[in-house]
Amino acid sequence: MKKGLWGGVLAVLLLALSGCATGQVDDSRIIAAREAVRSGDRNTLERLADQRSGHVLEPYVRYWLLFNKLARSEPPPASELSEFLVEQAGSMLADRLRGDWVRRLAKDGDWRGVVQLYPDILAPDQELRCLGWTGRMMTGDRSALAEVALQWLDLVESHSACEPVLLATVTAGQVGPEDVWWRIRRQVEGRNPANAKLTLAWLPTGTAPNPAAFDQAIRSPAQYLDRLPPNFAVSRAGRELALAALVRLSREDVRAAEGRLVRIQDRLDAEERGYAWANLALRAALGQLPEALAWYRAAGSTPLSAEQRAWRVRSALRAGNWAAVEEAIAQLPVNEQTEPEWLYWRGRALAARGREAEADALYARIAGEPHFYGILAAEERGQLFAPPVRSGSITQEQLRQAEDDPSLRRALALFRIDMRTEGTREWNWALRNQEDGFILAAARLALKNDIYDRAINTAERADPRSNFDLRFLTPYRQLIEPQVLNQGLDISWVYGLMRQESRFVVPARSSSGAQGLMQVMPATGKWVAGKIGMTGYSPTMLSEPNTNVRLGTSYMRLILEDLDNHPVLASAGYNAGPSRAKRWRDAQPMEGAVYTETIPFDETRDYVKKVMANTVIYAAMLEGRPQSLKTRLGVIGPRPAAQ
């Protein structure tokens, strides 16, 4: 026993000496400081900050202490804060501390201090931008209000720090009552309609709806509309409350909303009717109802939101109405018309109407780009996706610069102690304003350290049209391939899905609780384990790569068999659930590309596009021959009549 004890002590000492010899520093103090700031342990944090060392993460201990001091009731330690900003000038931590200090100054009402500090923040979020505007306004710079007015509708779902400057913009007449009404409308359309109650108070005196009536219209829209008084349309407020109720009811039952709109539309003006129909049309399009196109026509020329505009195109696609597809895309703002999906679908619409040369000109603008619509556009021109060439080389000097970069060194240390959020922030900070050679060297550095997500994302940042050997990695192949073969799956599809799920980060965990390489939900893991006869299942097993891949690939096989053995349906089912993937089919067969574009969940639609494009690229690389995305997308069979 003594021999074992002393052997363990000796091993620890040797490890420590080895760490010193190789220049490594003990991480325990950094980890302890992190826990102290999380728990608000002021005394421990101050003690640890006094124990200076040469650790690469030393600035973090000092930052955490200063952050803790800013949160205290006593005045901020201006000299200490300024000293840190000078010593760490240009670093991500200096930028974060400057933002923390601005928030504290704003809380204390020190607007001159805010105005002095804010301009040096390099990456302000929305809250800080609004505090910067408020500081300028409070110190007499009225031009801030003009800037806010230009971004009025972009600030619909804004941070609470924006409210004072937004209200001041209204009071100063930089925006008018009509702008306020449109803000209210957009807030009512959103997920948190109660936010509109604050904006109601910004309307001119005597024109705002009664707050209690507004609550009733939002919470019980059907009952509110059924009890509308005969004179509801006399005032703008009365009509807007009816519109708000229609918008909220359409989210629950769009056909019920249609019936009530038909009943009252004669008492609305043309713009108000158009607004109501546009909202119902969006809900019909999201619900994949055939009425969507007719309701969009009923909306007339009313201004549409970006979401409403996109779903006008998609509803035409779903209906197979190529003339309506072309018309809807032609009515998009110019910057939206040039997005890859609308270039491709406009080309398809033109080709369907015999205008092949015009269609080819549109395909040519994106053909060959390694994304869903770039690959499809190339296929329309007869070009399959060919195996990509290897990325360009980097010099030893570029690699040395990446290895010596302070932010990248801190990022690697943060990844080592499982502070992935902070590590990713440092990594991204290091890439700001850098040339492609440095960025590509950083990607190689990430791969050297098995940080696969940073290798992929960084190489893509250097050039999204090349660097495939870094962007489409195949790690853990000795673990993954046997499971893929056992399930009879396409390894390119498995890698394409896994790349999208986790970027090969073993400890990855989503906000919904999905875990591991294949982002398996605990409940799904339990269900699959029962299906395949795995005993002793526990959610903690999802953190084990081998078990995670076994359960994930087994789930892929199960849903593939349940969804016509179609990878598009199965990819949608993996992300959103098999029942939704089934429900999104049509009564008639439809192109896989049309099915994908008309998936009503933004996340799932983007996910399926990326998984299928990933699959084609992986297949070209692994098989060494050109691949067809159109073949893989195929045709989606109709849903059964009973469904």
Side-chain angles (χ1 to χ4, degrees):
M1 181 176 177
K2 288 183 178 180
K3 182 178 179 180
L5 175 63
W6 284 110
V9 172
L10 180 61
V12 171
L13 289 173
L14 288 173
L15 181 62
L17 290 171
S18 173
C20 293
T22 59
Q24 294 179 0
V25 184
D26 183 16
D27 293 328
S28 59
R29 174 170 160 268
I30 307 300
I31 296 171
R34 175 184 62 184
E35 294 307 312
V37 75
R38 283 178 175 175
S39 62
D41 187 346
R42 172 178 176 175
N43 293 333
T44 298
L45 192 55
E46 290 184 336
R47 176 175 56 79
L48 292 170
D50 287 339
Q51 300 169 11
R52 300 290 180 93
S53 73
H55 199 289
V56 69
L57 296 180
E58 176 66 40
Y60 273 79
V61 182
R62 295 174 58 205
Y63 166 76
W64 289 328
L65 177 62
L66 292 171
F67 177 81
N68 179 272
K69 288 185 176 182
L70 281 171
R72 301 175 191 175
S73 57
E74 56 261 31
S79 59
E80 291 181 57
L81 293 165
S82 298
E83 180 184 355
F84 185 90
L85 294 180
V86 171
E87 289 182 5
Q88 299 297 320
S91 71
M92 187 270 291
L93 282 181
D95 208 53
R96 284 183 67 187
L97 184 66
R98 191 173 278 109
D100 297 332
W101 195 357
V102 163
R103 291 184 180 92
R104 173 60 192 268
L105 291 170
K107 181 181 178 181
D108 293 345
D110 184 354
W111 297 110
R112 293 194 181 280
V114 169
V115 170
Q116 183 179 359
L117 272 179
Y118 176 79
D120 292 327
I121 299 176
L122 299 176
D125 57 18
Q126 186 189 76
E127 178 190 8
L128 289 171
R129 288 199 305 273
C130 286
L131 291 177
W133 282 322
T134 304
R136 287 166 55 194
M137 175 190 72
M138 297 295 285
T139 54
D141 182 358
R142 310 301 286 180
S143 67
L145 302 183
E147 293 176 21
V148 174
L150 290 174
Q151 300 185 43
W152 182 255
L153 285 182
D154 294 331
L155 294 168
V156 167
E157 299 295 340
S158 54
H159 192 279
S160 59
C162 301
E163 291 169 9
V165 73
L166 288 168
L167 175 57
T169 303
V170 175
T171 305
Q174 293 281 351
V175 297
E178 191 64 25
D179 298 300
V180 177
W181 278 118
W182 271 102
R183 177 179 171 84
I184 293 167
R185 286 179 175 184
R186 293 301 185 219
Q187 288 175 319
V188 167
E189 293 165 16
R191 294 186 177 181
N192 298 302
N195 292 343
K197 285 188 71 173
L198 177 66
T199 312
L200 291 175
W202 301 352
L203 290 165
T205 303
T207 65
N210 179 285
F214 174 81
D215 284 340
Q216 185 182 5
I218 295 301
R219 294 175 183 173
S220 305
Q223 294 91 322
Y224 181 85
L225 290 165
D226 290 341
R227 297 171 185 171
L228 277 175
N231 64 343
F232 83 92
V234 171
S235 68
R236 173 75 182 266
R239 298 193 303 275
E240 290 291 343
L241 283 182
L243 291 173
L246 284 167
V247 168
R248 298 313 299 179
L249 180 57
S250 71
R251 297 175 70 97
E252 304 168 8
D253 185 340
V254 69
R255 288 197 171 101
E258 178 209 13
R260 288 163 173 82
L261 174 56
V262 168
R263 195 171 67 216
I264 68 169
Q265 66 177 344
D266 289 344
R267 285 179 279 176
L268 304 173
D269 66 28
E271 184 278 329
E272 292 162 346
R273 284 196 300 274
Y275 170 77
W277 282 116
N279 274 277
L280 268 63
L282 172 63
R283 292 299 148 194
L286 289 168
Q288 300 173 336
L289 301 179
E291 295 93 337
L293 268 183
W295 293 354
Y296 269 116
R297 286 193 292 271
S301 59
T302 192
L304 302 179
S305 68
E307 184 182 25
Q308 289 168 341
R309 292 192 295 268
W311 277 100
R312 183 180 180 184
V313 182
R314 294 184 183 120
S315 62
L317 272 175
R318 188 88 181 181
N321 187 333
W322 291 110
V325 169
E326 183 186 353
E327 179 187 4
I329 295 175
Q331 292 182 9
L332 296 173
V334 174
N335 64 310
E336 292 178 15
Q337 289 184 32
T338 57
E339 292 174 1
E341 56 264 53
W342 307 138
L343 286 173
Y344 174 78
W345 287 119
R346 191 173 193 178
R348 287 288 306 278
L350 291 169
R353 305 176 73 196
R355 296 157 66 181
E356 298 286 354
E358 295 174 70
D360 187 69
L362 293 175
Y363 298 145
R365 294 171 65 176
I366 55 172
E369 294 182 6
H371 53 67
F372 188 80
Y373 285 117
I375 297 171
L376 285 177
E379 284 201 53
E380 295 295 337
R381 309 185 82 210
Q383 303 160 4
L384 299 183
F385 186 84
V389 297
R390 185 176 173 82
S391 60
S393 60
I394 57 172
T395 66
Q396 286 299 314
E397 175 62 19
Q398 288 170 327
L399 186 58
R400 185 194 62 77
Q401 289 176 353
E403 290 173 339
D404 292 343
D405 183 85
S407 285
L408 293 182
R409 291 180 64 226
R410 284 193 292 269
L412 291 175
L414 289 162
F415 287 130
R416 185 178 68 237
I417 59 175
D418 198 29
M419 291 181 63
R420 294 199 61 88
T421 300
E422 293 83 352
T424 299
R425 286 175 181 161
E426 282 281 9
W427 192 274
N428 291 338
W429 187 267
L431 304 183
R432 295 170 67 254
N433 305 318
Q434 293 284 5
E435 295 181 352
D436 288 351
F438 177 89
I439 296 173
L440 194 56
R444 293 284 179 195
L445 180 63
L447 181 59
K448 178 182 176 181
N449 288 273
D450 297 336
I451 307 173
Y452 302 117
D453 62 321
R454 291 304 95 204
I456 293 168
N457 291 11
T458 305
E460 192 160 271
R461 183 167 179 164
D463 187 350
R465 294 175 176 82
S466 65
N467 306 320
F468 289 88
D469 56 320
L470 282 168
R471 292 173 49 221
F472 292 87
L473 301 171
T474 55
Y476 308 111
R477 191 163 179 178
Q478 74 285 355
L479 180 155
I480 293 166
E481 195 159 18
Q483 301 283 8
V484 170
L485 292 172
N486 186 50
Q487 298 296 336
L489 297 172
D490 176 1
I491 192 168
S492 300
W493 181 45
V494 173
Y495 264 118
L497 184 143
M498 194 182 300
R499 180 184 187 272
Q500 190 60 29
E501 285 287 350
S502 68
R503 287 291 198 268
F504 310 112
V505 176
V506 170
R509 182 186 292 266
S510 75
S511 58
S512 61
Q515 300 178 43
L517 289 170
M518 300 197 71
Q519 289 292 277
V520 180
M521 292 288 290
T524 302
K526 181 179 180 180
W527 179 79
V528 175
K531 285 286 186 180
I532 65 175
M534 179 188 291
T535 58
Y537 169 80
S538 166
T540 58
M541 297 168 69
L542 295 177
S543 61
E544 301 167 7
N546 193 58
T547 302
N548 190 281
V549 172
R550 182 185 175 193
L551 291 169
T553 54
S554 297
Y555 186 50
M556 290 179 75
R557 165 51 58 194
L558 289 167
I559 62 174
L560 188 65
E561 291 174 350
D562 188 43
L563 292 166
D564 302 342
N565 284 304
H566 202 302
V568 169
L569 288 173
S571 298
Y574 196 95
N575 181 262
S579 62
R580 290 193 178 102
K582 293 177 183 178
R583 189 165 65 245
W584 294 334
R585 293 178 297 187
D586 197 59
Q588 304 296 325
M590 65 191 311
E591 277 188 58
V594 173
Y595 173 92
T596 301
E597 184 58 59
T598 57
I599 290 173
F601 289 4
D602 293 346
E603 177 191 327
T604 305
R605 183 172 60 257
D606 182 65
Y607 175 90
V608 174
K609 290 179 186 179
K610 288 179 176 175
V611 167
M612 296 308 298
N614 291 348
T615 300
V616 166
I617 296 170
Y618 271 119
M621 295 174 68
L622 294 172
E623 298 176 23
R625 58 187 178 86
Q627 300 288 323
S628 168
L629 177 55
K630 290 185 72 173
T631 299
R632 289 178 182 272
L633 294 175
V635 174
I636 304 296
R639 58 174 173 259
Q643 185 180 336

